[in-house]
Amino acid sequence: MNTYSEQLNKLDHQLNALGFCESLIFWDAATLAPENSVDGRASTLVSLSELYYNLLINENTKELLKALEENKNDLDEVGLAKYKFYKEMYDKIACVPVDEYSAFKGLQSKASKAWEEAKEADDFAIFEPYLQKVINFQRKYVTYRNLGGHPYNTLLEDFERGLTVDVADKFFEGLREVIVPLVKEIQTKGKVIDSPFAGVTFPSKGQKEFSDQILDKLGFNKDSGIIAESVHPFTMNITRDDVRITTAYHEDYALSSIYSTIHECGHGLYEQNISKDLGFSKIATGTTMGIHESQSRIYENNIGRSEAFWTTYFDLLKNIFPEQLKDASAETCYLASNDVKASLIRIEADELTYSLHIMVRYEIEKGIFEGKYEAKDLPQVWNDLYTEYLGVTPPSDATGVLQDVHWSEGLFGYFPSYALGSAYACQFEAAMNKVFDFNQAILSDDLSQINEWLKENIHKYGSTKTPEEIILAATGEDFDPAYFTNYLKDKYSKIYDL
Amino acid sequence: MNTYSEQLNKLDHQLNALGFCESLIFWDAATLAPENSVDGRASTLVSLSELYYNLLINENTKELLKALEENKNDLDEVGLAKYKFYKEMYDKIACVPVDEYSAFKGLQSKASKAWEEAKEADDFAIFEPYLQKVINFQRKYVTYRNLGGHPYNTLLEDFERGLTVDVADKFFEGLREVIVPLVKEIQTKGKVIDSPFAGVTFPSKGQKEFSDQILDKLGFNKDSGIIAESVHPFTMNITRDDVRITTAYHEDYALSSIYSTIHECGHGLYEQNISKDLGFSKIATGTTMGIHESQSRIYENNIGRSEAFWTTYFDLLKNIFPEQLKDASAETCYLASNDVKASLIRIEADELTYSLHIMVRYEIEKGIFEGKYEAKDLPQVWNDLYTEYLGVTPPSDATGVLQDVHWSEGLFGYFPSYALGSAYACQFEAAMNKVFDFNQAILSDDLSQINEWLKENIHKYGSTKTPEEIILAATGEDFDPAYFTNYLKDKYSKIYDL
């Protein structure tokens, strides 16, 4: 039996090395690489994907996985998790022919570049043919892989193991029922919030300083990670000991970098806290996008947008910006960071309306895979749904259908994990409150109690558990979106005196 | 026939992709990666080297190379060069068993780390066991590969195709005969040079500004490259359109960053000017280290340490540092950048004594592969040779045998290419002078004439020609070290009024 485990470990190391390279290339492209590097990078990514495919998909691996299946009972916990992980990955990739698999990598590079140009020029026509190709590929993938039920299920599964259209429909319906009337009530009866950040310039240098200090407060290990700048903030885990996050500094909008940094820090802590026992392995990373987003969001929203956070850290910010914040207080900052506005841009949305932005994308993606929409239809569908769900109509595609990078990379099925993450986060907060006072932990200016709970119940497991297993073991219950909707009702009723 | 070429191109693309990753990883490690990233990186490099080996060394490649050999006459120029390149690489790598090949990658990482620690602590004992292992591996490699003649020949060949101990002995003997008496004459009869840089602080910010401006002047394309900082300056070519150089700013020693930048820029221009027709290929890089160093040195020394350079660019530097350079002139800067001092550190050596530093290393490496020296002997041998060749004795191993990174990475045979490069550079300068006035080109503040000549005669060919072929075609003669020795005699006689 040992020899099968060893074979799998060997394969895992090599695939993990290729993954390491791909991650580093993406990081580098977004932060540093020179203008003309794009073609060489695209060609390299295509070759790496061929290598990856050929290494994984062959008779040897097939035989190995069969042998492991037959001897499953002899595997230890990590070995079993690794087997399951690769069995799933094998089935997912083997159904796609190798030339289509690597051609898709080339298409991703080109489509991303076209998307950038289209967004810059506010011209959907530049992106449309590439988007249609990406859609065609993903539709074909759905027929290859075909998990059954709604065609979109196959894609949802890739980002949140176990998620189906039936489950997601119910989840979003439940959210809508709470969020839509709550937003309406705020818009009609809520008090007006004056932001101390509005119209004030916060030089990047100071924002960097705050980012740096708040990362220390949140427990981000700078010997095992770095922070840099990029247009769109993101986290890239190279290994658990090399976790990289980015933020973006907008001098006229300081809250943006603050919450980007905290959000990405949440992703980063998840990766840094994965058990060393998992080694350098493809399973030594967050289990799904939904659970990953729960970690970014618990830091960004449950911690970062709490009253306790501003009570504790307002002085830190004011020390850096005494002039800009001379009339501000912890209270006004707290309110400003929770100001509800039905707006056009997802990543600038407040915590309450955020899920409505996700629902727009969810409905569109579902429609694409039902065959209702083609690329050319999306600008109009997008605008119609924003008008219906948020009451705002994008004046341009740059602030509408072109705002997100995801579709250019073929990431259909990804968006729902953002909303799920917010909901998981609230259930985790509730579970912590059974053990210690979550709020008090933030007020104590020592987040180690929270970090430790998350590490022990979520982070350390990497990909060895499914979301269902993690949620049940950590909270004692199955996933229950009511934690999220109750949290929203409580929080916003208080803020807006409803 | 097409199908063989296509198969080779496919293999070349995949190996080139792995090379791309390795280069990016090294770049990243030296410029950015966090402290704790070292183990994950080492593990990744080992896996990549296994992948590289397995992809290249197998029956398929063997058959392919045989088929190409048999149908050589049908190949075009690039195809033939690629075949020769891979035939050589195959023979070089196939003789080493795969586990030893990849284990060596792991050893390199560990030995480099031990070397860094040893240098920092000025304690050779930390490095010694690792160095001995590296020596043992390379001795074994020599027996595996065995090109015949002196065992060191096999290693020299890896860095300068065609170089042997016989050739190198004669080359260095010729240099010694000129350099040693010249240095002695300067020390006894030469005038004393007062440096306007001595004891003056040049803030890094200004040095960066000058680096940036001089790169533009030298023709470095910043859309296809970047400059960053690292402890030891180096050049890393990711692709011809993504060439990265580093420099190091020492506020008490401004000439250091100036000449590091110009040196690395020379390497960088070589890579950026390689013909696009070679595509993304392992042959789309400089042909050997000797030719590569000729390009860094022609920029650093023949251009950068010329009187014409300072006449043209002194004002550029003075505009940035008006206070520091208020009493300086083009003339005093020129003299200061050519001040001859028998010193301890190779990378800080002047152009004349530089080759003596190389000879010390050459003699030691030759002795190691003759079995005369083991790792433990090297500090003493080093000090003895410095005393003999340069008349200075290192007071510590940190400024002696521990100063260079090369041996920790197993790069025995590399050092001679530095001296060869200086010599090639002088022969290239002489060849240019037959076509246009080299000096006048520098004085015109437009280096495109020089750049164009180097591009057309050297750069564009990448690895498709050997050093011999390049030198003969570019200069109309075989390599002749007299161009170098005459250049040194002329230059230093004038500077020191001998």
Side-chain angles (χ1 to χ4, degrees):
Chain A
M1 193 56 215
N2 254 351
T3 172
Y4 296 136
S5 272
E6 278 163 18
Q7 281 176 53
L8 186 63
N9 283 339
K10 177 94 176 177
L11 180 67
D12 180 36
H13 272 139
Q14 296 193 328
L15 293 172
N16 191 54
L18 292 177
F20 179 115
C21 297
E22 204 183 10
S23 299
L24 187 60
I25 289 171
F26 279 123
W27 158 271
D28 181 76
T31 56
L32 194 70
E35 179 75 14
N36 295 340
S37 64
V38 58
D39 290 344
R41 183 164 55 250
S43 150
T44 299
L45 289 169
V46 169
S47 290
L48 290 180
S49 75
E50 283 166 5
L51 287 171
Y52 195 97
Y53 188 103
N54 291 331
L55 207 56
L56 177 67
I57 308 300
N58 53 55
E59 280 306 309
N60 286 346
T61 312
K62 206 168 166 179
E63 289 303 313
L64 176 62
L65 290 171
K66 206 191 281 173
L68 285 161
E69 171 69 32
E70 283 160 10
N71 296 279
K72 229 161 41 173
N73 296 335
D74 302 337
L75 292 168
D76 64 13
E77 211 177 336
V78 172
L80 188 63
K82 218 177 261 187
Y83 159 67
K84 282 188 191 166
F85 181 87
Y86 275 105
K87 174 77 178 72
E88 210 174 298
M89 191 194 283
Y90 190 94
D91 292 341
K92 184 183 159 180
I93 297 182
C95 63
V96 185
V98 63
D99 50 333
E100 290 183 33
Y101 183 79
S102 59
F104 186 58
K105 289 282 164 181
L107 176 59
Q108 282 178 316
S109 295
K110 281 180 205 148
S112 298
K113 215 182 159 208
W115 166 74
E116 259 179 44
E117 283 171 27
K119 191 179 174 185
E120 180 78 24
D122 190 12
D123 182 0
F124 183 75
I126 298 173
F127 182 42
E128 192 198 304
Y130 294 94
L131 179 57
Q132 188 62 49
K133 278 185 200 165
V134 171
I135 289 173
N136 293 346
F137 179 89
Q138 293 295 52
R139 282 179 177 159
K140 214 161 159 190
Y141 168 68
V142 167
T143 64
Y144 286 146
R145 176 96 165 103
N146 195 5
L147 293 181
H150 195 288
Y152 188 32
N153 285 356
T154 300
L155 299 168
L156 289 173
E157 170 75 22
D158 282 348
F159 297 96
E160 195 61 6
R161 293 195 249 170
L163 186 64
T164 61
V165 167
D166 284 349
V167 175
D169 275 348
K170 256 176 239 137
F171 170 64
F172 284 122
E173 192 45 42
L175 289 196
R176 255 185 99 172
E177 276 169 16
V178 172
I179 294 172
V180 171
L182 199 50
V183 171
K184 195 157 282 175
E185 207 181 342
I186 288 168
Q187 284 169 339
T188 50
K189 295 192 236 160
K191 68 181 177 199
V192 172
I193 289 173
D194 287 321
S195 168
F197 298 96
V200 185
T201 299
F202 290 76
S204 294
K205 194 168 167 290
Q207 291 191 46
K208 265 185 208 178
E209 215 178 308
F210 184 74
S211 262
D212 209 55
Q213 292 183 21
I214 205 71
L215 285 178
D216 290 335
K217 293 289 186 186
L218 297 173
F220 187 78
N221 178 354
K222 287 177 189 156
D223 285 335
S224 295
I226 48 178
I227 177 165
E229 284 176 67
S230 68
V231 180
H232 306 281
F234 67 95
T235 298
M236 191 58 83
N237 55 309
I238 315 284
T239 67
R240 70 182 292 289
D241 293 318
D242 185 355
V243 177
R244 303 176 180 203
I245 65 177
T246 69
T247 193
Y249 302 106
H250 303 286
E251 302 212 325
D252 57 348
Y253 187 39
L255 283 179
S256 170
S257 81
I258 293 173
Y259 286 107
S260 288
T261 298
I262 300 175
H263 177 99
E264 302 307 333
C265 177
H267 284 302
L269 287 169
Y270 188 178
E271 294 291 333
Q272 288 188 335
N273 283 333
I274 286 169
S275 170
K276 253 191 189 309
D277 298 344
L278 299 182
F280 298 115
S281 164
K282 293 287 288 180
I283 66 165
T285 186
T287 187
T288 61
M289 282 322 302
I291 297 292
H292 234 302
E293 288 299 328
S294 77
Q295 299 312 292
S296 53
R297 272 156 205 283
I298 204 165
Y299 281 90
E300 179 189 349
N301 293 333
N302 303 63
I303 296 172
R305 286 196 165 89
S306 70
E307 195 164 9
F309 177 85
W310 282 108
T311 303
T312 315
Y313 298 116
F314 171 71
D315 285 344
L316 205 68
L317 190 64
K318 194 175 177 179
N319 281 340
I320 297 172
F321 295 112
E323 201 44 49
Q324 285 87 343
L325 294 174
K326 64 179 189 295
D327 301 324
S329 66
E331 177 67 11
T332 58
C333 287
Y334 166 59
L335 293 176
S337 66
N338 287 291
D339 189 11
V340 171
K341 286 241 158 52
S343 66
L344 295 170
I345 307 295
R346 174 181 63 85
I347 59 166
E348 290 167 10
D350 58 88
E351 198 180 344
L352 181 62
T353 60
Y354 187 89
S355 298
L356 300 175
H357 292 260
I358 297 305
M359 287 179 222
V360 169
R361 290 149 178 84
Y362 173 74
E363 289 302 330
I364 293 176
E365 293 189 353
K366 204 169 59 166
I368 289 172
F369 292 93
E370 284 169 357
K372 264 166 66 182
Y373 310 131
E374 301 300 327
K376 68 173 169 40
D377 307 320
L378 300 192
Q380 190 58 50
V381 179
W382 183 283
N383 291 354
D384 290 349
L385 283 168
Y386 260 80
T387 310
E388 183 189 339
Y389 283 27
L390 285 125
V392 291
T393 309
S396 70
D397 289 335
T399 55
V401 69
L402 287 173
Q403 70 184 268
D404 296 313
V405 69
H406 304 61
W407 291 345
S408 73
E409 293 173 359
L411 301 175
F412 296 101
Y414 187 120
F415 284 117
S417 56
Y418 290 116
L420 281 171
S422 298
Y424 296 164
C426 292
Q427 189 164 343
F428 292 141
E429 180 187 335
M432 277 184 256
N433 267 322
K434 290 179 203 156
V435 190
F436 58 87
D437 186 331
F438 185 79
N439 213 43
Q440 197 51 49
I442 303 170
L443 285 169
S444 75
D445 184 20
D446 174 5
L447 294 169
S448 57
Q449 216 172 4
I450 295 174
N451 286 342
E452 203 53 34
W453 190 93
L454 293 170
K455 179 179 171 183
E456 287 305 313
N457 287 281
I458 300 162
H459 299 173
K460 72 174 186 186
Y461 295 111
S463 298
T464 62
K465 289 187 170 196
T466 64
E468 290 76 8
E469 288 165 351
I470 284 175
I471 293 167
L472 183 60
T475 72
E477 298 171 85
D478 286 330
F479 172 47
D480 181 356
Y483 285 105
F484 183 34
T485 47
N486 289 336
Y487 163 92
L488 292 174
K489 280 187 277 191
D490 286 355
K491 178 168 183 174
Y492 288 97
S493 299
K494 263 185 223 147
I495 288 174
Y496 281 97
D497 302 328
L498 300 179
Chain B
M1 190 60 215
N2 254 353
T3 172
Y4 296 135
S5 273
E6 278 165 17
Q7 281 176 54
L8 187 63
N9 283 338
K10 177 95 177 176
L11 179 66
D12 180 37
H13 272 138
Q14 294 191 331
L15 293 172
N16 191 55
L18 292 177
F20 178 115
C21 297
E22 204 183 10
S23 298
L24 186 61
I25 289 170
F26 279 123
W27 159 270
D28 181 76
T31 55
L32 194 70
E35 181 75 15
N36 295 340
S37 63
V38 60
D39 290 344
R41 183 165 53 249
S43 151
T44 298
L45 288 170
V46 169
S47 290
L48 289 182
S49 75
E50 282 166 5
L51 287 172
Y52 194 96
Y53 189 103
N54 291 332
L55 207 54
L56 178 66
I57 309 300
N58 53 55
E59 282 305 310
N60 285 345
T61 312
K62 206 168 166 179
E63 291 302 314
L64 176 62
L65 290 171
K66 206 192 284 175
L68 285 162
E69 171 68 31
E70 283 161 10
N71 296 279
K72 227 161 43 172
N73 296 334
D74 301 336
L75 292 169
D76 62 14
E77 213 177 336
V78 173
L80 188 64
K82 216 175 262 186
Y83 159 68
K84 283 187 188 167
F85 181 88
Y86 275 105
K87 175 77 179 71
E88 212 173 296
M89 191 195 282
Y90 190 93
D91 292 342
K92 185 181 159 182
I93 298 181
C95 63
V96 184
V98 62
D99 50 334
E100 290 184 34
Y101 183 80
S102 59
F104 186 59
K105 290 282 164 182
L107 176 58
Q108 282 178 317
S109 295
K110 281 179 204 148
S112 298
K113 212 181 165 209
W115 166 73
E116 258 178 43
E117 283 170 29
K119 190 178 175 186
E120 179 78 23
D122 191 11
D123 183 359
F124 183 75
I126 297 173
F127 182 42
E128 192 197 304
Y130 293 94
L131 179 57
Q132 188 62 51
K133 278 186 201 163
V134 171
I135 289 173
N136 294 346
F137 178 89
Q138 292 295 49
R139 283 177 176 159
K140 215 163 160 189
Y141 167 68
V142 167
T143 65
Y144 286 146
R145 175 96 165 105
N146 195 8
L147 292 181
H150 195 288
Y152 187 33
N153 285 356
T154 299
L155 299 168
L156 290 173
E157 170 75 21
D158 281 348
F159 297 97
E160 195 60 7
R161 293 195 249 170
L163 186 64
T164 62
V165 167
D166 283 349
V167 174
D169 276 348
K170 257 176 241 140
F171 170 64
F172 284 122
E173 191 45 42
L175 290 195
R176 253 184 102 173
E177 277 170 18
V178 172
I179 295 172
V180 170
L182 200 50
V183 171
K184 196 156 282 174
E185 209 183 340
I186 288 168
Q187 283 168 339
T188 51
K189 294 193 234 162
K191 68 181 180 200
V192 173
I193 288 173
D194 287 322
S195 169
F197 298 96
V200 185
T201 299
F202 291 75
S204 295
K205 193 168 168 288
Q207 291 191 46
K208 264 185 210 177
E209 214 178 309
F210 183 74
S211 262
D212 208 54
Q213 291 183 19
I214 205 70
L215 284 178
D216 290 335
K217 294 288 185 184
L218 298 174
F220 187 78
N221 179 355
K222 288 175 187 156
D223 285 335
S224 295
I226 48 178
I227 178 165
E229 284 177 69
S230 68
V231 181
H232 307 280
F234 67 94
T235 299
M236 192 57 85
N237 56 308
I238 314 286
T239 66
R240 69 181 295 288
D241 294 317
D242 185 355
V243 177
R244 302 176 181 204
I245 66 178
T246 69
T247 193
Y249 302 105
H250 304 287
E251 301 213 326
D252 58 348
Y253 187 39
L255 283 179
S256 171
S257 79
I258 293 173
Y259 286 107
S260 288
T261 298
I262 300 175
H263 178 100
E264 302 308 333
C265 177
H267 284 302
L269 287 170
Y270 189 176
E271 294 292 335
Q272 288 188 335
N273 283 333
I274 285 169
S275 170
K276 254 193 187 308
D277 297 343
L278 299 182
F280 299 115
S281 164
K282 292 288 286 178
I283 65 164
T285 185
T287 185
T288 62
M289 281 323 300
I291 297 292
H292 234 303
E293 287 300 328
S294 78
Q295 298 312 293
S296 53
R297 273 157 205 282
I298 204 164
Y299 280 91
E300 179 188 350
N301 293 333
N302 304 62
I303 297 172
R305 286 196 166 89
S306 69
E307 197 165 5
F309 177 86
W310 283 108
T311 304
T312 315
Y313 298 115
F314 172 70
D315 286 344
L316 205 68
L317 189 64
K318 194 173 175 179
N319 281 341
I320 298 172
F321 296 113
E323 200 44 49
Q324 285 87 342
L325 294 173
K326 64 178 187 296
D327 301 323
S329 66
E331 178 67 11
T332 58
C333 288
Y334 166 59
L335 293 175
S337 66
N338 287 292
D339 190 9
V340 171
K341 287 239 161 49
S343 65
L344 295 168
I345 306 295
R346 176 181 62 85
I347 59 166
E348 290 167 10
D350 58 86
E351 196 179 345
L352 182 62
T353 60
Y354 187 90
S355 299
L356 300 175
H357 293 260
I358 297 305
M359 287 179 222
V360 168
R361 290 150 177 85
Y362 173 73
E363 290 302 329
I364 294 176
E365 293 189 353
K366 203 167 62 165
I368 289 172
F369 292 93
E370 284 168 359
K372 265 166 68 181
Y373 310 132
E374 301 300 327
K376 68 173 170 39
D377 307 320
L378 300 192
Q380 191 56 51
V381 179
W382 183 284
N383 291 353
D384 292 348
L385 282 168
Y386 259 81
T387 311
E388 184 190 340
Y389 284 27
L390 285 125
V392 293
T393 309
S396 70
D397 290 336
T399 55
V401 69
L402 287 172
Q403 68 184 267
D404 295 314
V405 68
H406 303 61
W407 292 345
S408 72
E409 293 173 0
L411 301 174
F412 297 101
Y414 187 119
F415 284 117
S417 57
Y418 290 117
L420 282 171
S422 298
Y424 296 164
C426 292
Q427 189 164 342
F428 293 141
E429 180 187 335
M432 276 184 258
N433 267 321
K434 290 179 205 160
V435 190
F436 59 87
D437 186 332
F438 185 79
N439 215 43
Q440 197 52 50
I442 303 169
L443 286 169
S444 75
D445 184 20
D446 175 6
L447 293 169
S448 56
Q449 215 172 6
I450 295 174
N451 286 343
E452 200 55 32
W453 190 93
L454 293 169
K455 178 179 171 184
E456 287 305 315
N457 287 282
I458 300 162
H459 299 174
K460 71 175 185 186
Y461 295 111
S463 297
T464 62
K465 289 187 172 197
T466 63
E468 291 78 7
E469 288 166 349
I470 284 174
I471 293 167
L472 183 59
T475 72
E477 296 170 87
D478 285 331
F479 172 48
D480 182 357
Y483 285 105
F484 184 34
T485 48
N486 289 336
Y487 163 92
L488 292 174
K489 281 189 277 191
D490 286 354
K491 179 168 183 174
Y492 288 96
S493 299
K494 264 185 222 146
I495 289 174
Y496 281 98
D497 301 329
L498 302 176

